[in-house]
């Protein structure tokens, strides 16, 4: 199977989406089993509860759960505030939220707290940029909200873009104009199918028929993703194993005993690591126990790690090398771990 394929179906009774690149599972989304779990992107009317001294944050009350607002300075207990969920909560911890609300769709992002019109730097054609600015002025009118056009607009139909912007503007006005005196869900986060439409590139093939996961053998690819063992080129391998504290990645050279075996195995591992983490829904602290290699090769490998994660859709920062020679990453928790989700 060549090209990019998007498959929408249900898995374990829940909406799920798979992105295949030349038959390989490149990304996977599935709705949480617990429908009461706050989903990233959901917007709530919350009420400030208590400040977190020393952290500058504020605990806030959501419907049935507690949230943590990192930017809590200047807020007082009992004060109402609109917040948006930024990630799934770790077990036993509060739901991470932000007061910087965004209304994000496939073509544009409405930004109530950041006025002005902006266009993705990926769109370089001056005529297209002028056309998009025309759409912004026409649809947004006198609104004080800001607007960001995403890079996909470069090759998209202007009418579809305008309709999308109008829809997001309507949602933003509705949410920000809602009144109430209790914690309330004002806009739910996107489910797996909507998230796939919003964030994945336009595919060469798309299937949303019942049983599509079986037709495209997605079920078998998911089973492979549930295994901690990942074969790599040249007989090398890595194990990706989540623990309560962190995600451990162990890289092995296999039967190759040449002087360059360690570097080759490590390069193969880090190039595939973003995909492995996406598919498995893993985030938080990532610790790489790399195959032995000379210290002089660390800079080369670090550059490859940076390139590998640059195009990844989930924010990942490099913490660097530890005294024991491990390499650490910090990754945003945008998804539930695949094993937990199933």
């Amino acid at each position: 199977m060549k090209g990019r394929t998007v498959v929408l179906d249900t898995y374990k009774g829940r909406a799920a989406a798979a992105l295949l690149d030349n038959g390989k599972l490149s990304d996977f989304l599935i709705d949480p089993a617990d429908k009461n779990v706050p989903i990233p992107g959901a917007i709530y009317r919350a009420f400030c509860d208590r400040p977190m001294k020393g952290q500058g944050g504020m605990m806030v009350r959501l419907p049935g759960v507690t949230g943590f607002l990192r930017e809590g300075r200047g807020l007082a207990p009992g004060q109402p505030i609109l917040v948006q969920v930024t990630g799934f909560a770790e077990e036993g911890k509060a739901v991470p939220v932000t007061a910087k609300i965004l209304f994000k769709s496939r073509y544009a992002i409405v930004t109530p707290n950041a006025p002005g019109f902006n266009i993705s730097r990926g769109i370089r054609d001056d005529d297209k940029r002028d056309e998009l600015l025309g759409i912004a002025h026409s649809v947004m009118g006198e609104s004080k909200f800001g607007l960001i056009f995403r890079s996909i607009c470069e090759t998209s139909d202007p009418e579809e873009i305008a309709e999308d912007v109008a829809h997001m503007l309507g949602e933003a006005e509705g949410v920000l104009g809602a009144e109430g005196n209790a914690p309330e869900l004002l806009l739910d986060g996107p489910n797996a199918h909507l998230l796939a439409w919003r964030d994945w590139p336009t595919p060469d093939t798309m299937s949303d028929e019942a049983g599509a996961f079986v037709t495209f053998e997605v079920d078998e690819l998911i089973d492979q993703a549930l295994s901690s063992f990942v074969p790599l080129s040249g007989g090398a391998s890595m194990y990706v194993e989540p623990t309560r504290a962190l995600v451990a990645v162990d890289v092995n050279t296999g039967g190759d005993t040449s002087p360059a075996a360690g570097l080759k195995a490590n390069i193969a591992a880090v190039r595939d690591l973003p995909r492995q983490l996406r598919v498995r829904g893993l985030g938080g602290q990532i610790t790489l126990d790399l195959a032995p290699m000379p210290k002089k090769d660390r800079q080369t490998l670090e550059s490859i790690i940076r390139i590998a994660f640059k195009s990844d859709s989930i924010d990942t920062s490099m913490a660097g090398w530890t005294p024991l020679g491990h390499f650490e990453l910090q990754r945003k928790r945008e998804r539930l771990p695949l094993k937990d989700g199933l």
Side-chain angles (χ1 to χ4, degrees):
M1 185 195 313
K2 294 184 178 181
R4 181 181 289 115
T5 303
V6 169
V7 187
L8 306 180
D9 201 352
T10 58
Y11 190 82
K12 305 293 185 181
R14 286 172 282 147
L19 176 62
L20 309 181
D21 277 323
N22 296 320
K24 179 183 289 187
L25 187 61
S26 178
D27 207 345
F28 180 73
L29 303 167
I30 186 169
D31 287 357
D34 184 354
K35 294 184 179 180
N36 295 318
V37 170
I39 297 176
I43 301 175
Y44 290 85
R45 181 193 304 111
F47 284 80
C48 298
D49 192 3
R50 66 182 190 280
M52 298 296 290
K53 295 182 179 180
Q55 299 184 34
M58 175 72 72
M59 304 302 292
V60 298
R61 288 185 287 116
L62 304 175
V65 295
T66 300
F68 175 67
L69 177 65
R70 188 176 297 277
E71 58 273 20
R73 297 187 186 279
L75 300 175
Q79 178 179 339
I81 183 173
L82 290 183
V83 297
Q84 187 167 37
V85 177
T86 59
F88 286 103
E90 298 179 57
E91 185 177 354
K93 295 187 178 181
V95 178
V97 298
T98 181
K100 298 176 182 178
I101 308 297
L102 298 175
F103 294 85
K104 185 177 182 181
S105 191
R106 181 171 177 84
Y107 301 106
I109 303 171
V110 173
T111 59
N113 300 320
F117 302 149
N118 294 279
I119 301 173
S120 168
R121 286 178 293 182
I123 302 176
R124 299 176 180 177
D125 183 86
D126 289 339
D127 290 339
K128 188 66 179 183
R129 295 178 72 89
D130 289 341
E131 181 182 56
L132 293 174
L133 286 175
I135 292 173
H137 286 289
S138 174
V139 178
M140 300 294 287
E142 299 299 319
S143 175
K144 295 182 180 180
F145 298 162
L147 182 68
I148 301 171
F149 287 104
R150 306 181 70 188
S151 58
I152 194 173
C153 290
E154 185 169 27
T155 56
S156 300
D157 181 69
E159 291 187 6
E160 289 186 9
I161 297 172
E163 290 176 4
D164 195 43
V165 172
H167 175 72
M168 298 309 294
L169 177 61
E171 282 196 340
E173 292 174 338
V175 168
L176 271 70
E179 298 180 355
N181 54 11
E184 182 182 355
L185 173 64
L186 301 177
L187 181 67
D188 205 356
N191 68 6
H193 290 181
L194 179 57
L195 197 59
W197 171 80
R198 189 189 80 179
D199 289 344
W200 288 352
T202 303
D204 300 302
T205 305
M206 203 280 283
S207 176
D208 59 358
E209 298 178 357
F213 273 14
V214 175
T215 302
F216 287 87
E217 301 179 347
V218 174
D219 299 48
E220 296 179 15
L221 297 175
I222 295 172
D223 289 341
Q224 294 176 16
L226 288 172
S227 171
S228 61
F229 175 74
V230 181
L232 301 171
S233 60
S237 64
M238 66 175 168
Y239 288 82
V240 181
E241 299 177 307
T243 71
R244 288 183 63 89
L246 51 82
V247 177
V249 179
D250 179 34
V251 183
N252 302 293
T253 59
D256 189 349
T257 58
S258 65
L263 180 60
K264 288 192 296 184
N266 292 333
I267 289 175
V270 300
R271 281 177 173 166
D272 194 38
L273 188 58
R275 182 181 73 88
Q276 294 293 335
L277 296 176
R278 278 197 312 273
V279 169
R280 298 162 190 265
L282 298 177
Q285 299 177 48
I286 318 291
T287 299
L288 310 184
D289 183 10
L290 298 161
M293 68 177 187
K295 281 191 176 181
K296 64 180 179 65
D297 291 331
R298 285 187 176 184
Q299 187 173 356
T300 298
L301 185 65
E302 195 170 329
S303 297
I304 294 172
I305 295 174
R306 185 177 288 107
I307 293 170
F309 282 96
K310 185 177 182 179
S311 60
D312 192 38
S313 59
I314 300 176
D315 291 340
T316 305
S317 58
M318 298 193 299
W321 300 93
T322 72
L324 293 178
H326 299 152
F327 193 86
E328 294 183 329
L329 304 164
Q330 183 68 36
R331 185 174 176 85
K332 189 176 180 182
R333 295 181 184 273
E334 286 193 1
R335 303 176 184 178
L336 286 173
L338 185 56
K339 286 187 177 181
D340 294 350
L342 300 186

